[in-house]
Amino acid sequence: MRIAQIHAHVLEARLSEPFGWSFNATDTRGSCLVEVVAEDGVTGWGECYGPARLNAPVVRAMASELIGKDPLATDALWLQLYNKFRDSGQKGLVVNAISGIDIALWDLKGRHFETPVHVLMGGPLRREVRAYATGTYRLRNGDPLDYIVREVRGYVSEGFSAVKLKIGFGVKEDEKLIRAVREAIGPDTGLMLDANHGFDALEAIELGRRVAPLDIGWFEEPVVPDDLGSYIEVRRGQPIPVAGGECEFTRWGFRDVLTRRAMDIIQPDTGGAGGLSECKKIADMATAFGVRYVPHVWGCGVGLAAALQLLAVLPHSPPRHTPLEPMLEFDRSEHPFRQAVLTTPLEHRRGVVAIPDGPGLGIEIDRAAIERFSVAV
Ligand code: CA
């Protein structure tokens, strides 16, 4: 079996209303989908995390390394790509591209063997996951104390048992909103905070101390990702568990996070940190360090399906009769093609998502939707 073609599709869609977070805003959702076609016609799909218009040229540039190779040799191809581009690509776009390709290769492998990816990866350890709602982005108009409180109430009434709140707009303003949200969702719904690295260590420590009594599940990306020293200070300086890692890459990047004990919970993006092959390795490393793993998920349905396959094989740590289960990040913000690219949407039922058990990633791609949202790049 040999790889015949590799395509990078850039999909984009304008939002009905732009939304923002601590340091940026967008009026468009975009994705780079990777399609790997074998000589016998079997096809696999993957998705890269990161800026789609930059992901696609890197994927295309890597294609010539892979044409004619055995698509089932996922680890061998991963190492081939990483070793080839390592000197200028240990983080960022190069690893994003390898990730999307790796996910597509796993999907193809699953389709070849007519087996779900999570079975080929040695699972499943679970068949469904509890999802938490990600949303609460900032709109151009209106009072966040009003529209975000309404939004989180909606998630609770949909059945989500935990929600994540976007912060990073200033300690005092954030504290007010966190208190309002905790009051709105009541004491029994999980509440996590995500600052999108909008603070320095001193601000993050101050905010963490102020809101810790409100039972906060984790404090995500309190500080910039390339400053592990500040992460360590935030961990030591305030009581909320510190999460991060959506901007970290590969076993080597997470080696430093883990050995320096910079985070309580790591959140590699499956389409960014190295794909399914690498994220399983990172997850096993995290287990050995006693650090929790909750995948970051921000893509369309392809990335979501990859995260679900990985979630099916994340090890329990520690094992016990009712072990801690990993959660799925379920993005609820507007995304015109998140589900449209799939023939069957990946939906939650009262905050729980079933892990697809069809071949490969367990999804079918709607080619008409791919064409509808594709842009020439
Ligand atoms: Ca985040």
Side-chain angles (χ1 to χ4, degrees), residues 73-91:
T74 40
D75 263 357
L77 295 179
W78 196 100
L79 288 167
Q80 184 195 329
L81 289 175
Y82 187 78
N83 291 339
K84 171 111 186 177
F85 298 106
R86 177 183 225 144
D87 288 11
S88 52
Q90 299 151 32
K91 294 178 194 276

Side-chain angles (χ1 to χ4, degrees), residues 164 166 194 196 220-221 246 296:
K164 193 164 77 185
K166 291 286 175 179
D194 183 358
N196 290 106
E220 177 173 328
E221 287 206 296
E246 68 186 72
H296 175 258

Side-chain angles (χ1 to χ4, degrees), residues 162-163 165 178 181-182 185 189-193 214-218:
V163 299
L165 175 65
I178 296 163
V181 165
R182 172 46 87 199
I185 63 177
T189 300
L191 175 61
M192 295 83 83
L193 307 176
L214 299 174
D215 189 16
I216 307 295
W218 70 65

Side-chain angles (χ1 to χ4, degrees), residues 155-318:
Y155 298 140
V156 175
S157 62
E158 275 185 73
F160 284 103
S161 54
V163 299
K164 193 164 77 185
L165 175 65
K166 291 286 175 179
I167 59 168
F169 297 87
V171 171
K172 282 188 180 149
E173 186 184 336
D174 286 341
E175 183 186 355
K176 237 188 275 176
L177 182 65
I178 296 163
R179 289 186 185 282
V181 165
R182 172 46 87 199
E183 200 182 312
I185 63 177
D188 298 331
T189 300
L191 175 61
M192 295 83 83
L193 307 176
D194 183 358
N196 290 106
H197 49 80
F199 295 122
D200 69 10
L202 293 177
E203 290 170 315
I205 289 166
E206 187 187 349
L207 180 67
R209 286 177 178 169
R210 286 189 192 195
V211 301
L214 299 174
D215 189 16
I216 307 295
W218 70 65
F219 190 168
E220 177 173 328
E221 287 206 296
V223 293
V224 289
D226 32 12
D227 182 4
L228 290 186
S230 285
Y231 263 94
I232 292 162
E233 282 179 32
V234 175
R235 256 200 97 203
R236 287 185 183 147
Q238 57 79 52
I240 303 171
V242 172
E246 68 186 72
C247 305
E248 192 50 82
F249 304 86
T250 77
R251 69 195 83 170
W252 294 282
F254 281 96
R255 171 197 59 195
D256 296 342
V257 170
L258 294 168
T259 54
R260 295 182 67 187
R261 304 208 72 85
M263 297 170 194
D264 298 284
I265 300 155
I266 59 167
Q267 302 167 304
D269 191 292
T270 315
L276 285 161
S277 300
E278 193 68 0
C279 286
K280 177 64 167 70
K281 295 176 177 69
I282 295 166
D284 290 339
M285 283 166 57
T287 305
F289 281 87
V291 168
R292 295 183 190 174
Y293 189 116
V294 179
H296 175 258
V297 185
W298 177 250
C300 73
V302 179
L304 177 59
L308 283 165
Q309 294 300 323
L310 181 72
L311 277 157
V313 298
L314 291 184
H316 290 123
S317 180

Side-chain angles (χ1 to χ4, degrees), residues 111-192:
R111 287 168 189 282
H112 173 76
F113 290 115
E114 296 181 343
T115 304
V117 166
H118 63 253
V119 171
L120 296 175
M121 294 182 85
L125 280 83
R126 58 193 63 79
R127 297 188 179 278
E128 59 180 29
V129 275
R130 190 160 69 92
Y132 71 87
T134 284
T136 75
Y137 290 90
R138 294 299 169 98
L139 307 177
R140 275 189 189 150
N141 301 308
D143 181 358
L145 283 168
D146 174 38
Y147 64 80
I148 288 179
V149 163
R150 254 198 330 244
E151 183 183 342
V152 293
R153 280 204 181 110
Y155 298 140
V156 175
S157 62
E158 275 185 73
F160 284 103
S161 54
V163 299
K164 193 164 77 185
L165 175 65
K166 291 286 175 179
I167 59 168
F169 297 87
V171 171
K172 282 188 180 149
E173 186 184 336
D174 286 341
E175 183 186 355
K176 237 188 275 176
L177 182 65
I178 296 163
R179 289 186 185 282
V181 165
R182 172 46 87 199
E183 200 182 312
I185 63 177
D188 298 331
T189 300
L191 175 61
M192 295 83 83

